[in-house]
């Protein structure tokens, strides 16, 4: 993503009915979806990647940013694939672009997280298949009864 127009389109995709199965977004998620893509344009090592279909509609988005200490650790933030385009390898393609970028600048690790609700089992599976380890749980993080589970993948020895 390189332009304000791309950022606007990504925000619209995140907030659409097609992006996430769990639509009970937290207030912070809604703010992030509305402003995060545009804000990232002025931040070093805060990037978004997206995939379009044949008519130019966004059908997948992911992002990452360097940790606040700027020590080579990266947070893999959101990954969303349009419901009608799942199981075509788009999520894997987006992750490979993200991981390649982090490796190319000498990143040391990737942290990521998700919710423990059943809707998030597919992304948990993806994390594990790509070498991420479960490293922790934050009880009732999102809403009562919805834990945040954290994963990490070390990129350097």
């Amino acid at each position: 993503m390189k332009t304000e127009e791309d950022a606007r389109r990504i925000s619209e995709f995140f907030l659409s009915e097609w992006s996430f199965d769990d639509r009970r977004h937290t207030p912070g998620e809604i703010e992030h979806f509305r402003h995060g893509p545009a804000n990232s344009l002025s931040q070093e090592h805060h990037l978004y990647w997206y995939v379009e279909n044949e008519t130019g509609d966004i059908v997948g988005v992911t992002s990452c940013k360097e940790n606040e200490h700027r020590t080579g650790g990266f947070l893999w933030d959101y990954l969303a694939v349009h419901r009608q385009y799942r199981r075509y390898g788009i999520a894997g393609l987006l992750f490979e672009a993200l991981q390649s970028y982090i490796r190319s600048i000498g990143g040391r690790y990737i942290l990521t997280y998700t919710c423990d609700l059943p809707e998030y089992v597919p992304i948990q599976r993806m994390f594990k298949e790509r070498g991420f380890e479960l490293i922790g749980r934050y009880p009732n993080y999102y809403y009562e009864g919805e834990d945040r589970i954290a994963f990490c993948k070390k990129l350097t020895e």
Side-chain angles (χ1 to χ4, degrees), residues 130-145:
R130 283 168 175 72
F132 285 81
E133 293 181 44
L134 178 64
I135 60 168
R137 176 179 292 272
Y138 303 75
N140 303 308
Y141 184 86
Y142 298 104
Y143 292 108
E144 192 66 33

Side-chain angles (χ1 to χ4, degrees), residues 17-52:
E17 64 182 278
W18 301 103
S19 58
F20 295 98
D21 290 340
D22 179 6
R23 305 263 311 139
R24 291 180 341 122
H25 301 309
T26 67
E29 285 173 319
I30 292 169
E31 182 177 330
H32 177 82
F33 296 152
R34 285 186 180 143
H35 305 292
N39 291 343
S40 74
L41 291 168
S42 63
Q43 298 171 352
E44 185 178 25
H45 302 307
H46 186 180
L47 299 157
Y48 284 77
W49 291 265
Y50 65 94
V51 173
E52 297 176 324

Side-chain angles (χ1 to χ4, degrees), residues 13 22 26-27 36 73 75-76 80 95 108 112 124 132 139 142 154:
F13 175 73
D22 179 6
T26 67
L75 174 63
W76 177 15
F95 172 71
R108 298 183 306 121
T112 194
Q124 294 169 29
F132 285 81
Y142 298 104
K154 193 171 182 180

